[in-house]
Amino acid sequence: MFSSSKPNNKKKSKKSLFKRIMAWLHLWLGLASGIIVVIVSLTGCIYVFENEIKDCIEDWRFVKPQKEAFLLPSQLVSIADKKMKDKKATSVTFGGKDEAAIVGYFVEKKEESEKGDRNEKGEHKKARKDVANNQNAKGKSELKAQSNEKEKGKGKGEKRKGGRRQGTFISVYMNPYTGDILHVKTFTRGESPDFFRWILNGHRALWLPYDIGRPIVGVAVLIFVVLLISGIVLWWPTKWIKSIIDKSFKIKWDASFKRVNYDMHNVFGFYSCIFLFFIAVTGLVWSFGWWSKSLYWVTSGGKPLVENRESPKSDITHVTAFNITTADKVLMNLKKENPQAAGIMISIPAKPADPIGAFVYKQRHTFYNMDRYSFDQQTLKEISIKTPFSGKYIEANIPDKIRRMNYDIHVGSVLGLTGKIIAFLASLISASLPITGFIIWWGKQKFGKKKPAAKSKVATKAISVPKVKNTTEQEVAV
């Protein structure tokens, strides 16, 4: 009896302690985060093709190409402002020859904007008075000190909920050749009926308030990274022989449901693992500041991430009213330098210290290789500020380029349409993994209990013994 039980003990301890720990973590962490991973993955699947879907269903995004040049930003803003009445444009975006131009507006919530307006009026009035009365060096230094105080007040007066601007975003789509208004689109974060905005809110925060939902999603994605690592450990073949390799790399579609489900979890999980790892790692950049800094530290070889939260400032020692035609000059200069650009966006300053911002997009629906500029609104002198996103992409160092790629890696657009298809399929598999994993676990709970072992044939079978004369069957039965 001792010798017969020994093989069973060996069989039970066949898996190493490390693999048993990985299996335990994989099971319970998967059960804990499964529903969140399903929601985040499915919404991510849909959001990947946002631009492509909108291009098909939103015909106001396109115009018939013409030989004439585009209207200037000042002309488009003048037309759009009449439509929007008391609102002031914040940006103008130009795309390709067959794309509509967009004049953007942002309206803050009343309680914030009214407070900001009162502060701004008093500060502007004081700044202009100081400029007129102080022409010497002492007066200029005092004005700069007041400007610094103003920016501190700005930070307090325009407090953002969860680090996000609260208000209404309005996009006026216009024919860039004629100035005709094609469509006006409005959305508000958390309240917008826009389908893709709703999908994005679910993806980022499970449709909860961002300060609540975002950390929950972040923790679930962090757990998912652990699941990917533990999954590879469990998937790794014990022996690299044909029979085991086939089980690890192929799905046996003609097998039972239980076997097909197991293979789908095992095989699909392996094939999508590397893509899901990059999607998860880049997604965590928006969830946790410490993760963002750590990732930059790793990619830069130990250099810290420079996070300059202050925006570039225009010189306000000579304050004059902003002339919208200044944006025209910025656009013309950028067009000369970037004749092949897929799009250019010009931001319109709202305050004397605000610069004119400019974004030059090298490829349509791609953001990593974008050039970002800031110009003094009075002199048009370029203002530089040290962040991974400022300046020209081609001049950025490697870790800054990687950080710029973060969003495009996350959605797959860094590889164009092919990358988006890969991201879509990987996200779809990601949504299926908690489901197939749960079915595996549930099957073990329901059917995994061992039934009473049948009596061994060896033990129950009568041993056949040649019949001997004068010996009954009862005497030789075992």
Side-chain angles (χ1 to χ4, degrees):
M1 289 183 65
F2 178 80
S3 61
S4 62
S5 62
K6 192 172 182 180
N8 291 334
N9 291 336
K10 281 186 176 180
K11 190 173 182 180
K12 288 181 182 178
S13 60
K14 191 175 182 180
K15 285 186 178 180
S16 65
L17 177 62
F18 177 67
K19 273 205 170 185
R20 291 202 301 272
I21 293 173
M22 287 292 104
W24 185 87
L25 285 173
H26 195 79
L27 170 62
W28 294 109
L29 290 179
L31 291 174
S33 63
I35 187 63
I36 300 174
V37 171
V38 171
I39 293 172
V40 172
S41 299
L42 287 177
T43 51
C45 268
I46 299 169
Y47 197 76
V48 162
F49 291 109
E50 177 201 14
N51 291 316
E52 287 75 11
I53 294 172
K54 284 184 175 180
D55 287 348
C56 294
I57 64 177
E58 297 179 349
D59 56 354
W60 63 80
R61 296 162 69 94
F62 298 93
V63 297
K64 186 178 180 180
Q66 299 181 23
K67 293 181 180 180
E68 291 81 2
F70 288 166
L71 295 179
L72 295 171
S74 59
Q75 295 172 304
L76 293 176
V77 168
S78 177
I79 297 170
D81 279 352
K82 291 179 182 178
K83 172 74 174 178
M84 304 307 295
K85 296 181 180 179
D86 57 338
K87 298 179 179 64
K88 293 183 179 180
T90 55
S91 66
V92 183
T93 304
F94 293 90
K97 292 183 178 180
D98 63 340
E99 293 182 82
I102 305 171
V103 178
Y105 293 82
F106 175 71
V107 182
E108 286 186 286
K109 280 188 175 180
K110 283 186 178 180
E111 60 269 21
E112 293 180 357
S113 60
E114 286 175 359
K115 183 177 179 180
D117 288 343
R118 288 195 298 270
N119 292 339
E120 194 62 32
K121 285 179 182 178
E123 289 165 351
H124 285 184
K125 186 175 180 181
K126 189 174 182 181
R128 291 191 181 96
K129 184 177 179 180
D130 287 340
V131 170
N133 296 333
N134 297 284
Q135 298 297 325
N136 52 30
K138 181 180 178 181
K140 290 181 180 180
S141 62
E142 288 175 352
L143 184 59
K144 288 180 180 179
Q146 291 164 3
S147 175
N148 291 335
E149 291 301 319
K150 168 187 168 181
E151 292 306 320
K152 291 178 183 178
K154 173 184 173 183
K156 294 175 183 177
E158 294 181 2
K159 188 176 180 181
R160 300 178 180 184
K161 186 178 179 181
R164 296 160 59 79
R165 297 175 73 188
Q166 298 299 306
T168 302
F169 297 85
I170 305 171
S171 297
V172 181
Y173 290 81
M174 305 177 68
N175 188 315
Y177 302 101
T178 64
D180 294 338
I181 294 177
L182 307 175
H183 186 75
V184 178
K185 189 172 184 178
T186 303
F187 81 86
T188 304
R189 284 195 176 110
E191 301 173 5
S192 173
D194 180 82
F195 174 73
F196 283 102
R197 176 57 51 178
W198 182 79
I199 288 294
L200 187 61
N201 288 338
H203 185 72
R204 288 180 173 176
L206 306 175
W207 300 288
L208 298 170
Y210 263 63
D211 54 349
I212 298 174
R214 203 165 192 171
I216 295 174
V217 170
V219 170
V221 174
L222 194 59
I223 290 173
F224 186 68
V225 173
V226 177
L227 291 173
L228 290 174
I229 296 171
S230 60
I232 285 295
V233 172
L234 298 174
W235 169 90
W236 198 264
T238 53
K239 293 181 181 179
W240 290 89
I241 58 177
K242 189 177 185 305
S243 59
I244 298 178
I245 290 174
D246 285 345
K247 292 179 182 179
S248 300
F249 289 94
K250 297 178 182 179
I251 297 175
K252 192 175 182 181
W253 294 106
D254 58 349
S256 65
F257 169 78
K258 187 176 180 181
R259 172 61 188 276
V260 171
N261 181 76
Y262 176 82
D263 284 352
M264 287 176 65
H265 186 83
N266 200 37
V267 178
F268 283 163
F270 165 73
Y271 284 126
S272 63
C273 182
I274 187 65
F275 304 109
L276 291 176
F277 179 79
F278 281 109
I279 291 172
V281 166
T282 52
L284 286 169
V285 167
W286 296 295
S287 295
F288 303 112
W290 61 267
W291 181 275
S292 176
K293 292 176 182 178
S294 300
L295 188 61
Y296 187 89
W297 185 84
V298 171
T299 57
S300 66
K303 295 181 181 178
L305 173 64
V306 178
E307 288 187 306
N308 193 338
R309 296 295 183 182
E310 293 185 6
S311 300
K313 305 295 186 296
S314 292
D315 185 0
I316 62 170
T317 55
H318 300 285
V319 177
T320 59
F322 175 73
N323 192 332
I324 188 62
T325 58
T326 309
D328 300 343
K329 297 176 183 178
V330 172
L331 177 67
M332 298 306 293
N333 291 338
L334 291 175
K335 274 190 171 182
K336 288 179 182 178
E337 294 178 11
N338 304 274
Q340 303 300 321
I344 297 176
M345 189 192 84
I346 307 294
S347 70
I348 301 171
K351 303 168 186 175
D354 290 347
I356 300 174
F359 301 82
V360 179
Y361 304 97
K362 300 302 178 71
Q363 291 175 270
R364 193 165 181 267
H365 299 332
T366 306
F367 302 98
Y368 75 92
N369 54 355
M370 171 188 69
D371 295 339
R372 180 177 180 178
Y373 304 89
S374 296
F375 300 98
D376 187 292
Q377 63 170 280
Q378 305 295 332
T379 65
L380 292 188
K381 181 181 178 182
E382 186 176 348
I383 307 169
S384 61
I385 184 169
K386 183 60 180 175
T387 70
F389 299 96
S390 61
K392 296 181 178 180
Y393 171 78
I394 195 171
E395 295 176 357
N397 56 35
I398 292 176
D400 285 353
K401 285 181 177 178
I402 294 174
R403 178 46 56 94
R404 290 191 186 201
M405 289 181 180
N406 194 79
Y407 174 79
D408 294 283
I409 293 173
H410 188 66
V411 300
S413 59
V414 70
L415 298 177
L417 183 59
T418 302
K420 285 192 171 187
I421 293 172
I422 292 173
F424 171 82
L425 294 175
S427 298
L428 197 61
I429 292 171
S430 174
S432 74
L433 292 177
I435 298 171
T436 54
F438 177 81
I439 292 173
I440 293 171
W441 173 77
W442 183 255
K444 288 181 179 180
Q445 299 304 304
K446 193 173 182 181
F447 305 108
K449 295 180 180 180
K450 292 183 179 180
K451 296 178 181 179
K455 293 182 179 180
S456 174
K457 291 183 179 179
V458 176
T460 58
K461 187 178 179 181
I463 301 174
S464 58
V465 180
K467 289 185 178 181
V468 183
K469 292 181 180 180
N470 301 326
T471 306
T472 64
E473 290 182 10
Q474 294 175 349
E475 292 176 281
V476 299
V478 177

